[in-house]
Amino acid sequence: MKRSYLLTIISASVLLVVPLLLAALLSSKGLLSQLDARNLSPSWNHLFGTDWLGRDMLTRTMKGLALSIGVGTAASISSAIIACILGLIAATLGKTADRIITWLIDCFLSVPHLVLLILIAFAAGGGMKGVILALALTHWPSLARLLRAEILAMKVAPYVIISKQLGKSSWWIATRHMLPHLLPQFIVGALLMFPHAILHEAALTFLGMGLSPHQPAIGIILSESMKYISAGMWWLAVFPGLCLFIVVRAFDMLARSLYSIIDPSRARQ
């Protein structure tokens, strides 16, 4: 892909998400407490309609997406840090550590993802803390495996071998040679985990194991809307679900485009 095209995709993704966050921060709380405009279909006054309590669905959707983005950011960064630490341990502390970390990765990958999310969220007591903990502890294995492979390849690189021959310590080699090389993979890995974290947060909340019902999370909005779709109130699920899809797709395109730019094998294309 051409660099100009990739930069266009990145700019479009950023321009899509930033106004959404601003809209969530600046939207009036009064639109969430209306009681005199119930069950209204989409109109110019209420673009996404209103729910059974008269709350503006556009405001609820924007605030729900902002909340999901915050949870996804915390979870993806935490999970990427776990992956980086375990990848470094597996590749630098000998065969025993490598076997243990590899076994741990295989163990996490062998369990159905949603089941593991539910178990951890339930054990942590649910809520925002439980959701972030569950997401952080289940999204790291694939990135850890990738980082481990990168570090193992770097250990036989000429510049690393020369540094060892010059008497440089393992810590010096790890911080000066390995971590700078892993930074692009770390950033892109965190960005690629972000859409999955948002979707899984919505799934957990939809199943009743996630955020509190008092918070305007997308999962709660979609879960509540299921009771009213049969009554013809289709807008309660369609617009929040569509917005969730657009945000997830935007972050996915952002991560893949950024990887194409910073990947050494594609950087000059």
Side-chain angles (χ1 to χ4, degrees):
M1 292 186 182
K2 294 183 179 180
R3 182 179 292 269
S4 59
Y5 174 72
L6 296 174
L7 290 174
T8 301
I9 294 177
I10 293 174
S11 301
S13 301
V14 173
L15 290 175
L16 176 66
V17 174
V18 171
L20 186 150
L21 294 175
L22 292 176
L25 293 174
L26 299 176
S27 57
S28 173
K29 293 184 179 180
L31 295 173
L32 296 178
S33 58
Q34 294 182 2
L35 296 175
D36 57 347
R38 302 178 182 178
N39 304 330
L40 296 181
S41 59
S43 64
W44 287 113
N45 292 330
H46 303 281
L47 294 178
F48 285 9
T50 62
D51 63 5
W52 59 97
L53 292 177
R55 295 172 294 188
D56 183 71
M57 286 303 298
L58 176 59
T59 304
R60 289 197 76 199
T61 301
M62 294 301 103
K63 288 189 175 295
L65 286 174
L67 182 62
S68 296
I69 289 173
V71 172
T73 301
S76 59
I77 292 176
S78 301
S79 192
I81 292 173
I82 293 173
C84 188
I85 293 172
L86 293 180
L88 281 170
I89 291 174
T92 58
L93 294 186
K95 293 183 178 179
T96 302
D98 188 28
R99 290 195 190 98
I100 294 173
I101 300 300
T102 302
W103 175 84
L104 195 61
I105 292 172
D106 293 337
C107 184
F108 270 82
L109 290 176
S110 65
V111 180
H113 199 77
L114 189 58
V115 173
L116 195 58
L117 279 169
I118 293 174
L119 290 175
I120 296 176
F122 178 77
M128 184 174 293
K129 180 189 70 174
V131 170
I132 293 176
L133 187 63
L135 294 173
L137 292 178
T138 55
H139 284 72
W140 59 267
S142 297
L143 181 58
R145 176 175 286 176
L146 173 64
L147 295 178
R148 170 185 170 272
E150 290 284 341
I151 296 170
L152 288 176
M154 279 189 287
K155 287 178 69 175
V156 296
Y159 54 87
V160 174
I161 295 175
I162 292 173
S163 296
K164 289 181 179 178
Q165 292 174 346
L166 293 174
K168 300 296 184 181
S169 65
S170 299
W171 174 254
W172 191 94
I173 294 173
T175 56
R176 303 297 176 88
H177 288 319
M178 294 183 177
L179 285 180
H181 184 84
L182 294 177
L183 186 59
Q185 283 81 357
F186 176 85
I187 295 173
V188 174
L191 284 174
L192 285 174
M193 279 191 283
F194 184 84
H196 295 278
I198 292 181
L199 287 177
H200 288 141
E201 176 271 319
L204 281 175
T205 304
F206 182 85
L207 295 172
M209 300 299 299
L211 303 180
S212 168
H214 303 291
Q215 296 172 306
I218 291 294
I220 292 173
I221 294 173
L222 294 175
S223 179
E224 293 175 344
S225 68
M226 295 297 103
K227 306 174 186 177
Y228 299 90
I229 288 182
S230 60
M233 298 170 64
W234 53 269
W235 58 89
L236 298 180
V238 170
F239 291 123
L242 183 61
C243 289
L244 177 63
F245 169 78
I246 291 173
V247 169
V248 168
R249 182 59 179 162
F251 274 97
D252 184 65
M253 293 176 64
L254 172 64
R256 296 183 186 278
S257 300
L258 189 61
Y259 175 71
S260 297
I261 288 177
I262 65 179
D263 182 17
S265 63
R266 306 182 186 182
R268 296 184 179 180
Q269 294 183 6

